[in-house]
Amino acid sequence: MDNFSLDAEHLQVQGTQHHTLAKGLDDFDKVYGLGYEVGHEDWSPYPRVNYLRQTFLDRPYDIDVERLRLVTQSYQANEACPRIIQCARAFENILLNSTLHIYDQDLILGEIAAPAKASPIYPEFSVDWILDEIRNSPFEERSNDQFYIRNAQDRNEILALCEYWKGKSANEIITAHLDEDQKKGSHMGEKVFQTNNYHFAGIGHFAMDFTKLMTLGYDGVLQQAREAFAKLSKQDPDYSEKRDYYKATLISLEAAKTYIQRYATLAREMAKVESNIKRQHELQQMAQNCEQIAGGAAQSFWQALQLFNFAVTLTQIEGNGHSISYGRMDQWLFPFYEKDLEQNAVDKSFTLELLEVLYVKMNNPTKLKDKGTVKVRNGRGFGGESLTIGGVNSLGDDATNDLSMLMLEASVHTRMMNPWVCLRLHENTPYELKVKAIECVRAGYGHPKSFNDGPAIKAMISKGLSLEEARNYAVVGCVEPTLPGKEFGWLDAGYVNTAKMLEMVINGGRILAGPNAGKQLGPDTGSLESYKNFDEVLESVDKQFAYWCDQLCSCLNVTDKIHRQVKPTPYISAFFEGCIESGKDMTYGGVKYNGTAPQAAGIATCADSLSSIKELVFEQKKYSGKELLDAVKDNWQGHEKLYALVNSSKIPHYGNDNDEADQLFNFMFECYCRHIKGRRNARGGEFSPGVYTVNANVGMGLYTNASLDGRKNEEPISDNMGPVHTAGGSHDISGPTAIVNSVTKVDHSLATNGTLLNLRFPEDAVSGIEGRDILLSFVDEYIAKQGMHVQFNIMSSEKMRAAQKAPEKYADMLVRVAGYSAYFVELGKPLQDDLIHRTELRF
Amino acid sequence: MAQQATILNVQRFTLHDGPGIRTEFFLKGCPLRCDWCGNPESFTRQPEVGVFANRCISSELCDDCKLVCHDLQMLIFTDSKLDSIDRKQCSSCLECAQVCPSEAIRPWGHSMTVDECMKVIIQDRGFYERSGGGVTVSGGEPLLQSDFVGQLFKACKQQGIHTCLESSLYANWNKIESLLPVTDLFISDLKLMDSQRHKQYTGVDNHKILENLITLSATNKPLILRIPVIPNINDDEDNIKASADFILQQMQGKVRTLQLLSFMRLGEEKYQSLGLPYKMQDLKFDRAAFQKKVEKIAVYFNQRGIHCMIGAKEKAEL
């Protein structure tokens, strides 16, 4: 904690930059602009890419009924089957019968059983909100995240089909398996924690083993499954379950092959009638690609991208979990790039064009979400499609290659929500790669995010992985380090509102105010009226957190077990080590490593609240505990003096490099991580804590009573690892170096499921070559101080306000929300305001 | 030997006064009174109170300042919000600033020792090292507290930290000379070449400043020179030409960079907080035309062989 002392080691890291021969197409230090420009020109050098990008932006967010129809037909036809077979048959029915789409100028095929940008419906998970919202609060009329049902006929068909699913969906079954005691703190009760994500939707949140698929092809994986099935003994007590798993796997993989073959056929047919020779050739080549990879391994870079897109979209057809991440894409894709270059099969420019076409295509999958979810988490994409580049290889050496550079170039040439590019940094990351990443950041569209190999690898090892495995982590979703193809981490398992837990701490386990004021929700571990000293407060925090983490984790284990019963995912399981080998679906714990990872929000809200208590009640003794308690019970009304005081710099606040305040943050951070880490989950793995909340801090704040950091009822709680900002003022007033120092006083590796830090600079702060170097050295120092993750918005408050006023001029302005970027003008007003209120770091 | 200094503000992560990421100390007290000054809180040497009326939560909800003030007549309320303080009566005991919960009354200036400053400096040392940054002392006029600056810079040099002094150089040469061994970079101004006009707009004539610039340039110490370009005050051709002549002839062109800082309307709120008039209040000018003029001035200097740029960003030498 003592930053005053100097250690020799710290002095040695400075100054030396490493270099690479890896090259993209642009100069490594090409400047891509500074922030978003109204009326900007096309960003990509490829007209095709600009065309595809624009057609994406122009397309409406429709709701498509076809998947719902095909799934329902199949379930009805197979009602007596074992569930896993029923699931596989439904998947097969979609793949054999859904409408295929090949779009003008596209080079990569495959959607998610719906037209581009249209959302399918996944009745397996939940339908009651769909029925309710269509009837009572139409998707078309939402203030944000609108979706459009095409016509009355579709509307009626959706309603009719959804009726079949009543009482059968995962959500209803999970709810029926939770008792009142479990519900009271959940999203169905007081929202101390929210696990509704996986009541309403699939799990997702993984990176599959792409190398396995690329090198074996579907035929190779089928072969593996058949061989394992052949070895299955009838003496095995789980014989029938395993048999059904293998059967489901074979059905699913065979269906995948047929589906790809259908695309080949369609492309051939379209080529026959295509008058443009160039396009005809492209269609023929795409048909040939599909014919090869329908069963076989990818033989070229283009085929690898094509197989990748099928692999991912099929995952999204099987289930609707988000954060289907792309793993270390510059690594697993590199052999194909290298081979193509060696054989002079394509030039580097076409490689980049293909990557950019794929990037645009990655934006097509959208997902209809319930109104409660979009309140806490804006965005109509699936979300979480992280693409990891850079980092060290399994030996610990830098892994940068040409694709690392090209993947950043493709990102800055397209500037869309997807993919969420993540750069893994370590002490030997080459200068050229860092500069290119910084130039992307300065362009102001929010990508890439930076991840630190140091604490991430340490976190992976503490989850039980070997060093070699740990070094191969990829980032999934926002900030979750995960081992591709070997880990089913059940990430983003639930949002935990630590501010709400603290409410119980100060008020004897009771709700402070509102309609349920005085209701005994948690155990009585004391209150501000009873604590004799500050240590008693901290002990109470510990007890209260222990209780609520028990509640949370018991609910999550119920959810886990119901997904196993209701919606196993045999197609996805085939690409995870351990499933085919053991005859167990991933939902049954078949994968080598298993986690469950809920994430905390409001740590700084708690820390600054504790600071108010410590300072005013126990140190200065200016106020009694009761006076503080009354202030928040009254939502600060009639306590204006105290309100001003707790929001002033007279109270030590987290984020200012003040050891006293930062120790309280550390206490809260460590307390949450300790109570989650190491608990056993339903799949034979362990729970894993994360300290990131995406933008759920806004929605959670809406349900949280006033807090002693100086927050009023309904205001956002603190975001991720960030400091507090309330309507009474931003609590971080000492600039970005102080924030970094505060944030890095905690051991980030304790949050084995990741931490998240947002920083925002106005454009002029990072302008010029000087600004680039400042940002570079700033990131380098954050990494040296062992922060796990950092991402930047390069956008002034004025620009965001201008976009609120004239949204039409800012239609494609991306803003970094949390782990992800989103179109600013499509966000809900509360989130827009929260982004504006996050401290702009000026100098 | 002064162990303490009156410090107005410590700003971490400044990027504009010297290269790289820096921690900057603004020392209180200045012998100049430039009309365009954006930091009027730096004028007097003694700590004083600043009043930010819009932060006051009203005397009906809080009377903490009244409870500590020695003479209630000094606190002037409008619509029950503290509006200003009678500066003639105020002894600057600062007790009201200490108790004010809403920071409507804030202390301008506080004492810090060299050790206290070093503690803050060390916290960002990694950032300086990576960015080629360091410590800058500015003001006010830091040479008013030159002993302290000398000790602080000595402590910095012992830690290998880059030091930069931003000063008007309105001081006796011996004070500057004593800082030469511990100062890596100087930043100073050429405000107006005509001494009478200099006196009119800054309160002092420019003889001492120009002499010191000549002497300093002869030492070959790295020097960044700035012209705060103020509409209708120093943006005329005569002054610009005289400035170039001075740099080339008297200073032998020994200026690392000449930075043109275009006038910005800054600090009005701070003037209000101090109960002082803002002299640029009535200045009316066409921002776009002025900016073009500044660009032309930059071209002129560069044509004369003086490395000149607009703005204060400085490339670090790593």
Side-chain angles (χ1 to χ4, degrees):
Chain A
M1 294 293 279
D2 184 4
N3 279 336
F4 194 60
S5 63
L6 290 167
D7 50 293
E9 201 185 317
H10 190 97
L11 291 175
Q12 282 169 3
V13 285
Q14 52 115 355
T16 43
Q17 293 285 3
H18 297 261
H19 296 279
T20 179
L21 294 173
K23 275 195 173 74
L25 276 165
D26 297 336
D27 288 339
F28 78 92
D29 57 355
K30 180 173 178 183
V31 178
Y32 296 105
L34 189 63
Y36 180 81
E37 281 172 51
V38 173
H40 62 82
E41 293 180 358
D42 285 338
W43 286 313
S44 173
Y46 306 105
R48 181 202 309 271
V49 172
N50 293 316
Y51 167 81
L52 291 170
R53 183 179 182 281
Q54 194 57 47
T55 54
F56 170 83
L57 291 171
D58 293 344
R59 237 174 238 132
Y61 284 97
D62 282 345
I63 294 173
D64 192 75
V65 69
E66 194 171 51
R67 184 188 184 281
L68 171 63
R69 186 190 300 139
L70 293 170
V71 170
T72 311
Q73 281 171 357
S74 176
Y75 267 65
Q76 286 170 335
N78 295 289
E79 275 186 336
C81 282
R83 178 49 66 97
I84 196 167
I85 301 289
Q86 202 180 13
C87 290
R89 288 290 176 212
F91 183 62
E92 179 187 43
N93 198 36
I94 300 168
L95 298 193
L96 268 49
N97 296 300
S98 63
T99 312
L100 305 184
H101 304 272
I102 297 181
Y103 293 100
D104 185 27
Q105 297 208 31
D106 211 348
L107 296 176
I108 310 275
L109 304 179
E111 309 295 332
I112 59 166
K117 214 174 161 181
S119 174
I121 289 175
Y122 296 80
E124 304 97 306
F125 300 101
S126 54
V127 290
D128 39 1
W129 59 271
I130 299 175
L131 291 166
D132 173 59
E133 291 191 45
I134 289 178
R135 289 179 180 134
N136 303 315
S137 43
F139 303 116
E140 291 81 357
E141 293 169 22
R142 288 175 171 178
S143 63
N144 56 280
D145 292 59
Q146 302 88 347
F147 272 94
Y148 301 90
I149 298 174
R150 296 194 189 97
N151 51 53
Q153 193 188 337
D154 280 7
R155 181 177 182 273
N156 293 336
E157 188 181 359
I158 293 169
L159 288 172
L161 290 167
C162 283
E163 286 295 331
Y164 166 77
W165 292 90
K166 273 186 157 177
K168 298 187 179 71
S169 72
N171 178 37
E172 285 158 285
I173 299 170
I174 294 165
T175 305
H177 282 74
L178 294 170
D179 66 15
E180 290 310 310
D181 182 52
Q182 286 172 312
K183 284 181 192 169
K184 72 178 182 189
S186 78
H187 64 281
M188 291 171 275
E190 291 294 333
K191 300 183 172 64
V192 181
F193 53 87
Q194 288 171 267
T195 56
N196 42 327
N197 244 358
Y198 300 154
H199 288 219
F200 294 161
I203 310 306
H205 282 95
F206 49 70
M208 55 203 281
D209 187 346
F210 288 108
T211 301
K212 175 179 176 179
L213 177 59
M214 293 297 143
T215 50
L216 296 182
Y218 283 105
D219 282 339
V221 182
L222 271 164
Q223 181 63 22
Q224 190 197 2
R226 282 194 196 103
E227 283 169 12
F229 191 9
K231 283 189 202 140
L232 180 63
S233 162
K234 290 204 172 67
Q235 291 176 355
D236 189 321
D238 297 324
Y239 172 79
S240 62
E241 288 86 353
K242 291 184 179 177
R243 175 202 60 204
D244 294 342
Y245 163 76
Y246 285 122
K247 280 186 176 176
T249 305
L250 299 179
I251 293 167
S252 303
L253 295 174
E254 287 290 357
K257 285 180 62 179
T258 310
Y259 177 69
I260 299 172
Q261 191 57 52
R262 286 179 65 211
Y263 262 109
T265 307
L266 178 61
R268 288 260 177 242
E269 281 166 9
M270 286 173 70
K272 272 184 210 153
V273 295
E274 175 61 53
S275 54
N276 181 315
I277 299 296
K278 184 167 171 276
R279 183 62 185 159
Q280 187 180 49
H281 178 75
E282 287 169 1
L283 284 163
Q284 282 165 348
Q285 184 60 52
M286 285 192 284
Q288 200 187 321
N289 288 345
C290 291
E291 281 152 5
Q292 168 59 31
I293 59 155
Q299 292 184 328
S300 68
F301 187 77
W302 193 351
Q303 287 179 6
L305 294 188
Q306 180 60 76
L307 182 52
F308 160 80
N309 189 56
F310 279 127
V312 170
T313 47
L314 286 171
T315 296
Q316 291 165 321
I317 290 172
E318 187 181 37
N320 70 348
H322 61 267
S323 301
I324 309 305
S325 297
Y326 308 145
R328 303 185 69 181
M329 201 164 178
D330 62 340
Q331 303 303 307
W332 65 255
L333 201 49
F334 189 69
F336 299 96
Y337 168 81
E338 203 176 24
K339 192 175 148 205
D340 273 12
L341 279 196
E342 271 167 19
Q343 298 177 348
N344 291 318
V346 288
D347 64 15
K348 207 163 166 177
S349 174
F350 186 61
T351 302
L352 181 59
E353 182 173 4
L354 279 172
L355 272 179
E356 293 185 21
V357 168
L358 180 70
Y359 273 28
V360 174
K361 193 154 194 82
M362 285 166 171
N363 287 274
N364 282 353
T366 62
K367 174 167 152 183
L368 180 68
K369 295 165 206 150
D370 64 285
K371 63 183 175 190
T373 297
V374 301
K375 202 166 189 178
V376 295
R377 200 180 170 290
N378 280 184
R380 288 175 281 196
F382 270 59
E385 296 86 347
S386 273
L387 187 166
T388 305
I389 59 169
V392 296
N393 61 21
S394 56
L395 301 172
D397 299 324
D398 178 65
T400 305
N401 60 39
D402 283 2
L403 287 177
S404 322
M405 306 294 264
L406 288 167
M407 283 175 171
L408 284 172
E409 287 174 12
S411 173
V412 74
H413 289 166
T414 51
R415 303 192 198 182
M416 299 179 77
M417 288 187 293
N418 287 352
W420 301 7
V421 181
C422 174
L423 174 64
R424 274 179 52 175
L425 292 168
H426 59 100
E427 57 188 11
N428 298 333
T429 297
Y431 176 73
E432 292 79 5
L433 183 62
K434 288 191 286 191
V435 169
K436 185 165 282 299
I438 291 289
E439 289 301 356
C440 293
V441 167
R442 291 210 302 166
Y445 65 103
H447 295 295
K449 55 190 167 192
S450 302
F451 225 76
N452 190 356
D453 279 1
I457 290 171
K458 204 172 148 198
M460 295 299 279
I461 289 171
S462 83
K463 288 195 282 187
L465 280 70
S466 72
L467 175 62
E468 289 70 26
E469 286 176 326
R471 283 172 172 157
N472 269 322
Y473 82 91
V475 173
V476 167
C478 293
V479 293
E480 301 97 283
T482 308
L483 185 59
K486 292 184 182 181
E487 186 179 9
F488 182 31
W490 198 286
L491 316 172
D492 228 32
Y495 290 101
V496 180
N497 186 342
T498 59
K500 199 107 185 169
M501 294 185 188
L502 200 72
E503 183 173 334
M504 309 296 138
V505 170
I506 63 171
N507 194 34
R510 296 184 302 272
I511 299 282
L512 267 179
N516 293 326
K519 180 173 153 193
Q520 191 71 45
L521 197 63
D524 182 358
T525 55
S527 90
L528 278 184
E529 293 184 66
S530 71
Y531 300 124
K532 306 238 169 6
N533 55 55
F534 190 62
D535 284 345
E536 285 187 12
V537 181
L538 298 183
E539 280 163 29
S540 173
V541 170
D542 198 60
K543 286 180 198 157
Q544 205 66 238
F545 272 49
Y547 175 81
W548 286 110
C549 291
D550 283 351
Q551 295 288 112
L552 163 74
C553 294
S554 79
C555 289
L556 290 174
N557 283 334
V558 170
T559 314
D560 203 322
K561 286 178 179 166
I562 302 301
H563 272 268
R564 170 185 308 177
Q565 278 178 32
V566 175
K567 186 69 176 96
T569 50
Y571 168 77
I572 305 168
S573 298
F575 304 99
F576 280 86
E577 186 179 320
C579 291
I580 289 178
E581 291 86 339
S582 66
K584 281 183 184 170
D585 189 85
M586 64 197 299
T587 57
Y588 280 74
V591 182
K592 185 174 182 189
Y593 295 108
N594 287 288
T596 307
Q599 63 278 14
I603 299 279
T605 299
C606 293
D608 282 2
S609 297
L610 288 176
S611 190
S612 300
I613 297 168
K614 184 179 179 210
E615 194 70 19
L616 297 174
V617 181
F618 296 109
E619 286 184 1
Q620 297 178 12
K621 300 188 173 35
K622 270 166 77 175
Y623 289 84
S624 69
K626 184 175 185 314
E627 283 174 286
L628 261 59
L629 186 57
D630 286 343
V632 281
K633 278 185 178 168
D634 298 339
N635 195 23
W636 300 104
Q637 291 232 328
H639 306 268
E640 285 72 13
K641 201 165 113 180
L642 185 55
Y643 175 76
L645 184 59
V646 298
N647 275 307
S648 80
S649 65
K650 291 187 161 78
I651 303 293
H653 286 147
Y654 166 71
N656 295 291
D657 202 2
N658 172 315
D659 282 351
E660 209 182 327
D662 296 343
Q663 264 163 4
L664 293 172
F665 183 88
N666 188 50
F667 172 83
M668 295 301 314
F669 178 92
E670 190 273 338
C671 180
Y672 175 71
C673 293
R674 177 163 42 83
H675 282 298
I676 295 296
K677 179 107 176 78
R679 289 166 182 265
R680 306 294 299 169
N681 73 6
R683 276 165 289 115
E686 287 188 357
F687 278 83
S688 167
V691 178
Y692 66 91
T693 48
V694 200
N695 59 346
N697 66 305
V698 178
M700 290 166 116
L702 290 173
Y703 307 114
T704 309
N705 285 310
S707 45
L708 283 170
D709 55 333
R711 204 189 118 269
K712 288 185 176 168
N713 190 10
E714 296 189 9
E715 276 187 56
I717 56 176
S718 62
D719 82 284
N720 305 287
M721 293 291 283
V724 167
H725 50 94
T726 73
S730 282
H731 286 195
D732 57 314
I733 54 170
S734 309
T737 58
I739 294 177
V740 162
N741 288 349
S742 287
V743 170
T744 54
K745 283 177 197 171
V746 301
D747 179 355
H748 286 231
S749 71
L750 294 177
T752 42
N753 197 36
T755 68
L756 192 159
L757 178 65
N758 288 310
L759 293 173
R760 178 158 72 91
F761 294 97
E763 291 85 347
D764 59 341
V766 293
S767 67
I769 195 96
E770 303 84 3
R772 181 197 78 189
D773 289 348
I774 294 285
L775 198 51
L776 182 64
S777 48
F778 188 80
V779 172
D780 275 347
E781 183 64 7
Y782 182 72
I783 296 301
K785 285 181 184 288
Q786 302 299 305
M788 196 188 275
H789 158 277
V790 65
Q791 61 198 12
F792 299 93
N793 267 317
I794 305 299
M795 188 175 293
S796 64
S797 304
E798 295 84 68
K799 190 166 277 178
M800 289 194 262
R801 289 200 188 93
Q804 281 184 323
K805 278 186 197 133
E808 68 286 355
K809 286 187 192 162
Y810 295 84
D812 65 350
M813 181 172 86
L814 285 171
V815 60
R816 193 84 190 174
V817 176
Y820 68 103
S821 289
Y823 294 109
F824 181 81
V825 298
E826 293 183 11
L827 298 173
K829 180 79 168 32
L831 180 56
Q832 288 183 351
D833 290 342
D834 187 55
L835 289 166
I836 293 170
H837 291 148
R838 280 183 203 164
T839 309
E840 176 180 272
L841 299 164
R842 271 196 184 280
F843 338 107
Chain B
M1 295 280 274
Q3 279 293 332
Q4 296 204 327
T6 311
I7 302 222
L8 192 57
N9 187 19
V10 183
Q11 208 171 343
R12 293 166 69 172
F13 201 64
T14 58
L15 306 177
H16 295 130
D17 291 324
I21 295 172
R22 313 189 73 82
T23 296
E24 187 158 358
F25 293 82
F26 294 88
L27 269 52
K28 194 157 158 50
C30 187
L32 276 63
R33 291 290 179 272
C34 305
D35 281 7
W36 55 85
C37 182
N39 299 311
E41 73 280 18
S42 70
F43 288 169
T44 67
R45 171 70 190 275
Q46 292 311 312
E48 58 195 314
V49 291
V51 177
F52 293 81
N54 59 352
R55 294 189 63 94
C56 178
I57 59 170
S58 101
S59 57
E60 284 150 24
L61 297 168
C62 167
D63 56 2
D64 286 7
C65 53
K66 289 186 188 170
L67 292 175
V68 296
C69 190
H70 305 296
D71 177 1
L72 290 182
Q73 301 301 313
M74 288 190 296
L75 301 168
I76 302 157
F77 287 85
T78 307
D79 297 333
S80 71
K81 291 204 172 195
L82 184 68
D83 187 59
S84 57
I85 284 178
D86 183 351
R87 307 270 162 184
K88 289 192 190 94
Q89 308 299 321
C90 177
S91 67
S92 293
C93 71
L94 303 182
E95 282 184 43
C96 57
Q98 276 158 26
V99 297
C100 177
S102 64
E103 297 179 314
I105 314 175
R106 271 186 251 173
W108 282 128
H110 60 283
S111 283
M112 280 180 89
T113 63
V114 170
D115 284 350
E116 285 167 343
C117 293
M118 285 309 293
K119 189 165 176 180
V120 178
I121 289 168
I122 295 297
Q123 283 178 299
D124 286 349
R125 135 170 236 142
F127 292 98
Y128 316 143
E129 282 164 356
R130 286 177 198 281
S131 67
V135 168
T136 297
V137 172
S138 178
E141 174 46 67
L143 291 175
L144 288 181
Q145 306 182 64
S146 62
D147 288 352
F148 173 85
V149 178
Q151 287 174 37
L152 181 66
F153 278 5
K154 193 173 156 199
C156 288
K157 294 322 296 175
Q158 280 167 356
Q159 297 277 0
I161 294 169
H162 183 270
T163 57
C164 168
L165 182 75
E166 194 202 1
S167 161
S168 70
L169 299 187
Y170 185 77
N172 291 331
W173 171 252
N174 63 355
K175 290 194 170 182
I176 301 163
E177 193 176 27
S178 71
L179 295 177
L180 287 175
V182 289
T183 307
D184 294 314
L185 172 68
F186 284 84
I187 299 178
S188 192
D189 286 355
L190 264 190
K191 297 180 171 77
L192 265 166
M193 295 311 295
D194 181 287
S195 190
Q196 228 173 347
R197 282 170 60 77
H198 195 281
K199 185 156 184 163
Q200 183 188 343
Y201 289 106
T202 72
V204 301
D205 70 43
N206 64 10
H207 296 310
K208 210 188 263 183
I209 293 171
L210 298 183
E211 272 169 30
N212 284 336
L213 279 172
I214 294 165
T215 319
L216 182 60
S217 65
T219 68
N220 293 325
K221 267 282 168 190
L223 169 66
I224 293 170
L225 207 54
R226 292 172 168 172
I227 299 179
V229 187
I230 318 295
N232 313 330
I233 294 181
N234 66 356
D235 61 346
D236 54 288
E237 236 172 80
D238 288 351
N239 186 55
I240 297 305
K241 183 177 178 300
S243 302
D245 291 346
F246 178 79
I247 293 167
L248 292 171
Q249 290 155 20
Q250 308 287 321
M251 297 175 69
Q252 275 85 48
K254 286 181 190 166
V255 170
R256 190 156 111 177
T257 312
L258 177 66
Q259 298 176 338
L260 303 182
L261 308 186
S262 311
F263 172 72
M264 304 289 276
R265 202 178 272 278
L266 287 174
E268 277 188 83
E269 197 197 23
K270 292 195 274 190
Y271 278 93
Q272 269 172 24
S273 83
L274 291 157
L276 292 173
Y278 181 48
K279 290 187 183 161
M280 307 304 282
Q281 188 73 47
D282 301 325
L283 177 75
K284 288 197 175 59
F285 68 106
D286 177 346
R287 168 62 63 188
F290 176 61
Q291 213 47 49
K292 281 219 175 85
K293 191 168 193 179
V294 175
E295 280 162 26
K296 267 187 172 168
I297 295 172
V299 171
Y300 171 78
F301 279 117
N302 280 308
Q303 279 169 350
R304 298 271 319 255
I306 300 167
H307 177 239
C308 176
M309 54 185 266
I310 299 169
K313 281 206 173 172
E314 182 70 9
K315 178 106 178 85
E317 285 167 24
L318 284 170

